Amino acid sequence: IHQNGGFTKVWVAQKSVLFPVLLSATLLFSRQVRLCDSLPLLITRVIQALGVVNVIYNVPLEYISLFADIPQLRVWYDCCTGMFYAATAVLWLLFVGEHRMDLDQRNKFSNYWKEITAISICCFIMFLFDIIERGLQIADPFHSIWSTPSGEYTARALLVVSAVCASFYFLVLLYLMVRAVLSMSRKRASLVNVGRVRQMYYEGLITRFKVMVYGTVVCGLLTVVMFILSTLTRCTTSGGGGRISCK
């Protein structure tokens, strides 16, 4: 994106409006969680973390650049974007996984250590790539990791590994969705012996949860597909005239 003056005005105005709204919503949600007698659920804590990341991302730091030159802002916002994607991916994972009715132990991060490890590796690789590429541009605006053969190989390797981790994450998310839907279907089939009113109530809950799980997986699919496409675009269009192919 080539950020011209008009885009900057709209961007800063949007963040100036969203920041107090997101901050108020996050503080209100945290207050409601503290007022609960029981300990917060794992999903609740992740939602809180996602709210905090959203607030940090929408702080209009661009106003400081009116008085001082801050080339580090680009790297800062790239890191905030990575934290947002990581928190969102963990939230999708927990939302689908925690709605499995055959799950014995809930509210434990240890149940999802493989998936969270894949997310962490992907985010760390993209952070490393960003530091090498854009971080060094703070001192040298004309620096590019693609300018040397060794740097080009390194960049392609980092991007390919991150794409593999993203694909693994989606496959696990899809697997958890199938298990969650099957467990809900089994639960629905066991409601034949309950009363009609309770049966309709539970069937409505199961149907709503199924729709939300399907929507979560679709969002995850679109995010992973766009991430992989952007990664392939970088691999095929950057660097030294296509000497190396990711195919």
Side-chain angles (χ1 to χ4, degrees), residues 63-126:
Y63 286 115
I64 304 177
S65 63
L66 296 175
F67 310 99
D69 184 23
I70 311 177
Q72 297 86 356
L73 275 182
R74 187 179 182 184
V75 178
W76 166 252
Y77 282 124
D78 284 344
C79 294
C80 290
T81 303
M83 290 190 295
F84 172 77
Y85 279 122
T88 305
V90 173
L91 177 61
W92 290 339
L93 178 71
L94 294 179
F95 179 79
V96 176
E98 291 295 300
H99 282 94
R100 288 179 295 162
M101 295 185 176
D102 57 348
L103 190 63
D104 296 329
Q105 296 182 341
R106 301 179 184 273
N107 297 323
K108 289 187 176 181
F109 272 115
S110 57
N111 295 337
Y112 309 95
W113 69 270
K114 295 179 181 179
E115 299 84 356
I116 294 178
T117 300
I119 296 173
S120 302
I121 293 175
C122 183
C123 292
F124 175 75
I125 289 175
M126 296 309 298

Side-chain angles (χ1 to χ4, degrees), residues 159-192:
L159 294 176
V160 169
V161 172
S162 63
V164 171
C165 291
S167 302
F168 170 76
Y169 165 79
F170 175 72
L171 291 177
V172 173
L173 188 66
L174 186 63
Y175 167 74
L176 292 177
M177 182 209 71
V178 172
R179 289 194 58 180
V181 170
L182 289 178
S183 64
M184 291 180 188
S185 299
R186 288 193 295 267
K187 183 66 175 180
R188 190 171 189 172
S190 64
L191 296 175
V192 292

